Amino acid sequence: MSTLKGLVSALLLVVTTLFWSVPLILLTLLKLITPTRPLRLIVLRGLNGVALNWIGCNLWWMRHWLKPRLEATLPEGLSPEQRWLVISNHRSWTDIFMLLMVLHRRIPMPRFFLKQQLIWIPIVGLAWWALEFPFMRRYRREQIERNPQLAEVDRKATERLCERAREMPLAIFNFVEGTRFTPLKRDAQNSPFRHLLRPKAGGVAQVLSLLGAQLDGILDVTLHYANPDPTFWGFLCGREGPITLEARRLEVPGWMLDSRYHDDPHYKERFHSWLNALWQEKDQALASR
């Protein structure tokens, strides 16, 4: 029975995607032939509207069909006219929908850091590209050591995202661990945390350095699943156990605005200490569940 529910859920995802792909493709074509950035921004706002409605449709049927047992705690004063950096631990593709379920239309249209390979997903990849999501190549350390210029590729993508955030309100979402948590990954990287992988500081530090003064704050999100091995398929089948989402608002410390992460070793060390302390608090919160 749960497998049938999962198949129906997958079909609903496909149908919703196909429906909203029509205005998405039309506006994408219009954006391609629009000659100036101010005019493209008008089209981009239209694309944002399509994406918000697309997300809203998916969240509607998920709430009524899957009925996720989600308990959420949010700070007051959120607005879609603000700019936010949202950081979170990462357990499953379900995380994205849980974040959207509690933050949709409470904050601006989200932008996620995505792996470059995801651009090839039919329709969805086109949507991410048209909406100017940052695609990250995530070169291995050995590749960067052989060719240091590769390190600039992802930094340039982050810079472009921050430029977009100056043009209109955005919410920049970052799963700081870079990949989904599993005990095997934790052990492989010798993580000092029980329930988390090591946080990757570079992308967060760059966003805060470039955009910190314009941000309304940082939303620090902690996701906890009662199921020790959550999967997106299990969620679509309605088998996922209770999920807790706690978000708290953090101010951007003034010292983060004074330097650049990649150029100042003292700043880099201080930023790592700040992020690791944040992750230690998150790990303790997860351990107390």
Side-chain angles (χ1 to χ4, degrees):
M1 183 63 181
S2 63
T3 301
L4 177 60
K5 189 164 194 171
L7 292 173
V8 173
S9 299
L11 179 62
L12 287 169
L13 272 176
V14 170
V15 170
T16 305
T17 299
L18 291 175
F19 177 84
W20 288 105
S21 69
V22 176
L24 170 75
I25 292 171
L26 291 175
L27 284 173
T28 300
L29 292 173
L30 179 60
K31 187 176 177 225
L32 284 172
I33 62 173
T34 301
T36 65
R37 183 62 188 172
L39 290 175
R40 285 196 294 274
L41 281 175
I42 295 173
V43 181
L44 183 57
R45 290 187 178 93
L47 283 164
N48 279 340
V50 171
L52 287 169
N53 286 319
W54 182 2
I55 292 168
C57 283
N58 280 321
L59 297 179
W60 181 86
W61 69 256
M62 285 179 180
R63 286 192 182 99
H64 292 83
W65 171 243
L66 298 176
K67 299 178 181 178
R69 289 173 285 172
L70 174 64
E71 180 182 340
T73 303
L74 293 176
E76 296 181 354
L78 301 181
S79 166
E81 299 304 316
Q82 298 168 329
R83 292 170 174 83
W84 293 96
L85 172 63
V86 182
I87 60 176
S88 175
N89 61 312
H90 194 15
R91 293 299 312 277
S92 163
W93 271 68
T94 311
D95 299 349
I96 295 172
F97 290 96
M98 296 302 97
L99 285 165
L100 294 174
M101 200 161 284
V102 300
L103 294 172
H104 181 58
R105 296 192 184 275
R106 287 191 172 97
I107 61 176
M109 174 68 195
R111 297 295 191 277
F112 291 88
F113 288 91
L114 300 170
K115 295 179 182 178
Q116 179 70 25
Q117 299 90 325
L118 296 178
I119 198 172
W120 302 112
I121 298 177
I123 300 177
V124 178
L126 174 65
W128 288 330
W129 176 81
L131 288 160
E132 302 178 355
F133 277 54
F135 288 93
M136 317 301 284
R137 295 184 181 274
R138 294 179 179 174
Y139 294 105
R140 296 190 302 275
R141 181 177 298 177
E142 297 80 10
Q143 293 175 294
I144 294 175
E145 288 174 352
R146 290 195 299 267
N147 184 1
Q149 291 183 344
L150 293 179
E152 293 297 320
V153 175
D154 286 349
R155 293 176 197 173
K156 292 294 184 183
T158 304
E159 287 178 9
R160 288 193 295 270
L161 175 65
C162 291
E163 290 171 4
R164 302 295 181 257
R166 295 188 187 100
E167 295 173 326
M168 65 174 62
L170 289 181
I172 301 171
F173 285 58
N174 193 334
F175 291 113
V176 185
E177 294 153 302
T179 186
R180 288 163 285 176
F181 171 90
T182 67
L184 285 176
K185 292 177 184 177
R186 177 197 60 200
D187 296 341
Q189 64 173 219
N190 195 26
S191 172
F193 310 108
R194 181 180 173 187
H195 303 283
L196 301 166
L197 302 178
R198 292 179 181 273
K200 297 183 178 182
V204 176
Q206 190 177 6
V207 169
L208 291 172
S209 177
L210 293 171
L211 201 62
Q214 285 78 43
L215 290 175
D216 289 274
I218 303 166
L219 287 180
D220 175 34
V221 177
T222 302
L223 280 160
H224 174 265
Y225 291 79
N227 176 6
D229 187 25
T231 65
F232 187 52
W233 175 246
F235 170 71
L236 291 179
C237 292
R239 294 197 300 258
E240 198 57 76
I243 304 167
T244 303
L245 185 154
E246 294 183 357
R248 60 173 178 165
R249 176 178 182 169
L250 304 177
E251 299 296 333
V252 179
W255 61 266
M256 289 186 179
L257 312 178
D258 298 333
S259 186
R260 292 178 63 85
Y261 175 83
H262 299 288
D263 301 328
D264 185 340
H266 298 292
Y267 177 92
K268 187 173 185 177
E269 182 179 355
R270 188 175 185 183
F271 194 92
H272 274 266
S273 297
W274 174 83
L275 187 57
N276 282 321
L278 197 65
W279 238 239
Q280 186 64 49
E281 291 179 33
K282 195 181 297 291
D283 196 50
Q284 292 171 355
L286 290 168
S288 66
R289 293 250 164 219

